Amino acid sequence: MLRFFEFLSALLVCGLLSVSSLAGAQTAPQLDVAPVRFGILPLGGAFESRNDWEPVLADLSRAIGRPVTVLSVTSYEALEQAIQRNQVDMAFLSGKMALDAVTQRRMKVIAQVTRHDGMPGYRSLLLARKTGPKTSLKDLLDSPEQWRLARGESRSVSGFIVPQLQFFLPHNIAMETRFASELVGTHQVTALAVANGEADVATNNTADFERFKLQFPTEAERLQVIWESDLIPHAQIVVRRDYPPAFQAKVQAFLVAFGRGKGSRSDAERAMLKSLHDLAGFLAADNGSLMPAAKLAYQLARQSAMSAQWVNEDARQARLQRIEATYAEQVAALREGAP
């Protein structure tokens, strides 16, 4: 009887080893390849952004033959910190964040998004309520210190950089110090703040406000656009420069072809893109596409320096010289990265 149990135990061990080996054989290719960690710019909520991107990234994973994980955060700062800690291999970024990733974090642009309206960009907006004591641009300019501001983070192109550069500073209004109160959040958060009476004016943009109208029709009906900016270039997809060129080309080819074909598969891809901030697809791009972002950052830094108070003129000139040097370095880096 003892020998019988020894024999049975041996059979069970052999069986378990066989199952383990089979499972290992099936999963080994995945284990041998590190996942591509994709960082998402927080345009809406973190959960919503993750859900929107996951179908596209699942297709990307199959196309490149390796897993793709998602890093969806609640703020620009959190994503910037993740990039600084080398926790991001590939990302969807706009303007200033893409510029910093390319010039400071050894990443490169491989694609730029495009939208159904065919425009090469979008516009920054200022939103106010349609009714009440604070509804017009003239009211805002007459007494900004009585208005409550809801704005994007300082790295947000349409939520901070462009309205500061093109509207507020030219009217001698510093967004950070002139208003009665300040709320900082995503475009969805800022629009809701004004719609619900928690703020009087919000920065936003044309693309996200269109999305907001679909998601929050009742709240959107309370809002009006009181200012819009010049055209802002669309966001970019960046990847780590140390990926092999063949891998970068493979990712770029997937993005450019996504939603461009015919048939049910491409129809499904186009549906994914539409739910993804109403995108039409991706265009091949390089670091040169960030030249407008570099110029915007330069103009804002220079205008801020000119309007700020300094202990003396030498200090102002020293700051201006640093701004010029930084801009020259950025332009050189972007030109070097372009074919």
Side-chain angles (χ1 to χ4, degrees):
M1 182 65 69
L2 182 59
R3 288 184 178 180
F4 172 76
F5 281 115
E6 289 175 349
F7 174 71
L8 183 60
S9 298
L11 284 177
L12 287 172
V13 169
C14 289
L16 288 172
L17 286 175
S18 297
V19 171
S20 177
S21 298
L22 179 60
Q26 291 174 333
T27 59
Q30 295 296 320
L31 295 174
D32 291 342
V33 180
V36 176
R37 300 164 298 177
F38 190 94
I40 303 172
L41 188 71
L43 297 182
F47 181 75
E48 177 189 354
S49 295
R50 173 184 288 271
N51 283 348
D52 289 343
W53 273 98
E54 276 183 340
V56 178
L57 298 180
D59 280 2
L60 172 62
S61 176
R62 287 187 285 270
I64 62 177
R66 60 193 297 175
V68 178
T69 60
V70 183
L71 174 65
S72 182
V73 296
T74 57
S75 68
Y76 284 68
E77 183 178 1
L79 183 54
E80 173 66 22
Q81 290 175 352
I83 294 172
Q84 289 178 4
R85 292 193 293 264
N86 294 319
Q87 295 173 340
V88 174
D89 306 308
M90 182 176 175
F92 167 64
L93 303 174
S94 67
K96 184 65 166 63
M97 287 196 70
L99 178 65
D100 290 345
V102 166
T103 58
Q104 302 174 20
R105 304 297 170 196
R106 296 193 55 77
M107 301 189 89
K108 65 177 291 187
V109 174
I110 59 168
Q112 188 167 25
V113 304
T114 182
R115 293 177 57 84
H116 290 287
D117 56 17
M119 298 292 288
Y122 58 103
R123 298 179 191 276
S124 177
L125 303 175
L126 290 181
L127 303 177
R129 289 177 68 92
K130 291 179 179 177
T131 60
K134 299 180 177 67
T135 59
S136 74
L137 203 60
K138 182 180 183 303
D139 294 335
L140 172 60
L141 292 175
D142 286 346
S143 55
E145 61 279 349
Q146 296 180 17
W147 286 57
R148 297 165 298 168
L149 173 68
R151 67 167 177 87
E153 297 180 58
S154 59
R155 295 172 180 83
S156 172
V157 176
S158 61
F160 180 83
I161 294 174
V162 168
Q164 179 89 311
L165 172 64
Q166 295 187 7
F167 179 76
F168 288 111
L169 286 182
H171 289 95
N172 298 313
I173 299 171
M175 291 172 69
E176 309 97 310
T177 59
R178 192 69 182 275
F179 289 90
S181 64
E182 184 180 71
L183 182 153
V184 179
T186 65
H187 296 305
Q188 184 182 104
V189 167
T190 61
L192 282 172
V194 175
N196 294 328
E198 298 167 358
D200 302 309
V201 62
T203 62
N204 216 277
N205 68 52
T206 49
D208 280 279
F209 191 44
E210 286 301 317
R211 187 178 178 87
F212 182 84
K213 290 176 183 178
L214 296 175
Q215 295 176 318
F216 302 94
T218 301
E219 289 80 0
E221 185 59 31
R222 304 172 193 156
L223 302 174
Q224 63 172 328
V225 175
I226 61 173
W227 175 84
E228 66 177 40
S229 73
D230 296 336
L231 210 61
I232 303 168
H234 286 309
Q236 284 90 1
I237 303 292
V238 300
V239 299
R240 279 176 25 211
R241 272 185 282 174
D242 53 3
Y243 275 129
F247 176 80
Q248 295 179 24
K250 195 171 185 178
V251 173
Q252 185 183 63
F254 165 82
L255 293 171
V256 172
F258 197 80
R260 301 291 186 184
K262 296 180 179 180
S264 58
R265 180 65 243 171
S266 292
D267 289 342
E269 292 173 352
R270 283 186 284 272
M272 293 180 207
L273 288 168
K274 185 167 181 59
S275 68
L276 192 64
H277 314 297
D278 197 28
L279 300 185
F282 304 91
L283 302 175
D286 55 53
N287 291 348
S289 67
L290 288 172
M291 288 292 188
K295 187 174 182 179
L296 278 175
Y298 162 73
Q299 290 172 333
L300 176 60
R302 182 173 175 80
Q303 194 160 338
S304 298
M306 293 298 293
S307 60
Q309 294 184 347
W310 298 87
V311 292
N312 54 52
E313 185 59 25
D314 288 342
R316 185 197 307 274
Q317 291 303 318
R319 173 61 180 151
L320 290 172
Q321 289 175 10
R322 288 196 298 273
I323 291 170
E324 294 291 340
T326 298
Y327 180 55
E329 291 171 2
Q330 289 176 340
V331 168
L334 296 179
R335 285 176 176 164
E336 182 182 351

